[in-house]
Amino acid sequence: MNWTGMSHSGRKNSWSVLLELKLSGEDVIASERAAALCNACDLSGKSLFVLPHTDHLVGYIIRLENAFYEHAQTYYYTEIRRVKSHKEFLNKTTHQLLFVRHQFKIAFFSELKQDTQNALKNYRTAYNLVHELRAHETNMLEIKTMAGFINYKICRLCFQHNTPLDAIAQFRKHIDLCKKKIGSAELAFEHAAWMSKQFQAFGDLFDEAIKLGLTAIQTQNPGFYYQQAAYYAQERKQLASMLCNHDPSVPYPNPDPLETQTGVLDFYGQRPWRQGILSFDLSDPEKEKMGILSLQLKEKNVLHSELIITLLSNAVAQFKKYKCPRMKSHLMVQMGEEYHYAKDYAKALKLLDYVMCDYRSEGWWTLLTSILTTALKCSYLMAQLKDYITYSLELLGRASTLKEDQKSRIEKNLIKVLMNESPDPEPDCDAAAVKASQKLWADRVSLAGSNIFTIEVQDFIPFVQCKAKFLAPSFHVDVPVQFDVYLRADCPHPIRFSKLCISFNNQDYNQYCVVEEAYQKSDILEQSSQGTMCLVPGKTRKFSFKFVAKTEDVGKKIEITSVDLILGSESGRCVVLNWRGGGGDASSSQEALQAARSFKRRPKLPDNEVHWDTLTIQASTMIISRVPNISVQLRHEPPALTNEMYCLIVTVQSHEETVAKDVKLTAGLKPGQDANLTQKTQVTLHGTDACDDSFPALLPDIPVGDLQPGEKLEKPIYIRCGTVGARMFLFYISYLINTVVEGKEILCRCHRDETVTIDTVFPFDVAVKFVSTKLEHLDRVFADIPFLLMTDILSASPWPLTIVTSKLQLSASMTPVDQLESYVENVVLQTGESASECFCLRCPPVTNASGVATGCYIISWKRSSPVESVPVVNTVITLPHVIVESIPLHVNADLPSFGRVRESLPVRYHLQNKTNLVQDVEVSVEPSDAFMFSGLKQIRLRILPGSQQEMLYNFYPLMAGYQQLPSLHVNLLRFPSFTNQLLRRFIPTHIFVKPQGRQADDNSIAAA
């Protein structure tokens, strides 16, 4: 290293040396070599850094980084102090420019030192010092250049400090101070270029800050600054076109005033031909003139449109990002106009066509007309036939704000194009471009290609409006389908069309809806309005159509899929205006809404004319079946009873003039109801047999045969409803009949349907209860002890019911005491009446303590009717379970049903042992005031298992009436839980005593 030979250029430098060593083991002489190297290079030991290849390399790198940072901090700090020391000797009177320079240096070194707060402070001071300089035309550019540099630094630091409002305020201040410092009037385009650059630079800073995390809003985003930059770029283009329109023969100055000896400027913003001259006086006016000329000639070669389009593109991207659709559309229009100016007509058309939809939908007709005019020029200059025709059609329409003479010129050009001729040039087009386009048009005329252009109308607003309307929302198949097509032209002159055709979703009808008129090509703009297809501006023309619908379209919708209006002829060029559906264009829906809300009184028109705004589009109609000429009556007796075969008689009578063929009946539950109803409803034609769950809920297409005119037939339908509730039943009659429509015989299928809602109710309510032989309610029964089962049948039917019979089916755990017979056989119950039965049963001992099944009660019944064939319905009632308990002793009493005063009343008690043990029984009788008795008052017995003991008493009544018998008390020594309360369930406690007769028996009196 030739250390001593290096030049330091007179500056104070700080050096550090980095040694990269590959050590193998411990180097003993490493420190000695490092000391020798420091001595040779005149370095301190702190400036020598060793970077060994060891496992601790990261630690050495961090130490090296910190050392470099400290060296840099020290260096910039020293430089700031050096500049400040120079600044102390400056005088604002004579060293005004140096004040700006030194302040900028201090700020710049502070920024390098990463002291951004001080840097921002010094940049602000430098900026203020710049604007304190005396400004003149000769130094205006230098002042603005330095102001722009410093402003950029200030704004950048503000964004770094996350104070965007300060950056915006600084930029606005900067623009306010500099926007009027134009400088030389001959170089005004330079000021516009500088202003454009300022806005662009701030937009870039703003966008960069957003990418680093700053949040922008819709009203304050970089798009506005790019837009303003584009505005000044456009102003630059306009100024350049005025100031730089030199004759092509003017040569560029030689020698070049913009060249310097070194090839670079000494100071930014100074003129190359006036470097180092601080005087405001022009020492060499001729040289100044040549310099200005050279700048103007260079500006003439600048592609301004490219600069403008780039800025507008940046702005559009920002406004799209922040959801500002109108700003985006506005700038896209400007981009399209710039592309048009730059003669890039294809891109211009693409952009303009994109934004037209927004302006159409929002109704900005003036703006739309301006855009369409530019688009028409582009399509003419490119000789694009379809685009030219499309834009011409719209510029002739009601949305165009052009004057009548301009519309007339466009209409004539359109007719020329349709006649395969070249149109006249559009005004305000470049002469060279017009000449080139005329050649293209000539080629289009000579080339034989596709001459039919189909234009979808719903996306724009042509000069012809169309509305199609069916005369009714539905038509019967035996009535011709009728509809009208209304056309209205908005062009300046009457115009003839060659063909009108309507297309339907069923293409078989298309052939019936065509209007065609042949004429000469020269008659398209003929003033006569007598032709069928001639449309007069402002007048509504109606075309009526009708056709017979096909029988297979019954129940289907017929829709107008498109309306085609053909302008021109196949010999020249043919334009097909295609409306989807029943008409309407991009503005029709908005106009219809405005017309509906308008309260403006419309003038009265002749009978054959209508107001266009009052017409509505009816693009579809329904084909429905022929009106049936039969009557359907339903005869029945509601409500229906659960599970009965409910009879409903359908009476059909024909009122047709001819034979009704292939008559079919569909009867049953109407579809679409609850699924449970479908499962619990059965329909049959045969009512003699009860139907089960396998029968359907709906019987479809029951053949009935043919019906002669006036003939009547009856069809009984039997319905079984398994659950209560309301059901809707459908009875659908269909038949075929021949009819003539518009001289054409067709076979129509007619139908009539009737629906009826039938309520289903329970025929009766059944109450079941268990009672003792004393008719007392039992919540449980005792094994081998007889008890009574009582049933009550309460009629809930509004019609008389006949109980045919009843049957008790006992379970295996129940046995009857006597023979089971029906006591309600052939009983007729009116509404609210009831019939009761009583059965005596016994239950043997069981092991199941939770309950024993009793069985079921079957009631056979039917609705009382003189018709003998009404089927009998069997209703099965499941009897409740009963709890069975065992008792150790059963006591029953034999006594007469009544007694008589002063007559002996024998009573016999039977005590039966129900256990397998010998029972020790204590029996006692408690006297009563109403009786005297004879017999054992108290006794102790022993009863063997399964055997019984009888006890006889004679009771002698003393009082008449319902009297209490002497109470029998039983005490079981083995079963203390057996109480007298339980005993009273089995034996009577009271008896009715009759009084004595009038003729007393002497013997009985003597006995008393």
Side-chain angles (χ1 to χ4, degrees), residues 842-859:
R842 177 185 286 116
C843 180
V846 294
T847 58
N848 185 10
S850 60
V852 175
T854 307
C856 58
Y857 183 50
I858 303 174
I859 304 172

Side-chain angles (χ1 to χ4, degrees), residues 87-100:
K87 184 182 173 184
E88 293 176 357
F89 299 101
L90 299 181
N91 188 329
K92 278 196 174 184
T93 306
T94 56
H95 303 101
Q96 199 173 14
L97 296 176
L98 289 178
F99 265 98
V100 178

Side-chain angles (χ1 to χ4, degrees), residues 83 467 518 524 535 639 696 742 768 808 826 953 981 985:
V83 174
K467 291 183 180 180
I524 293 180
L535 297 183
E742 295 289 317
V768 179
L808 183 64
N826 295 324
Y953 292 88
Q981 187 69 28
R985 290 190 177 186

Side-chain angles (χ1 to χ4, degrees), residues 128 252 296 307 335 413 517 566 663 829 909 936 963 969:
N128 294 331
Y252 189 81
Q296 290 175 342
L307 299 175
M335 286 178 67
N413 275 342
E517 183 181 23
I566 299 175
V663 182
L829 296 180
Y909 292 102
L936 298 173
Q963 302 297 336
H969 295 276

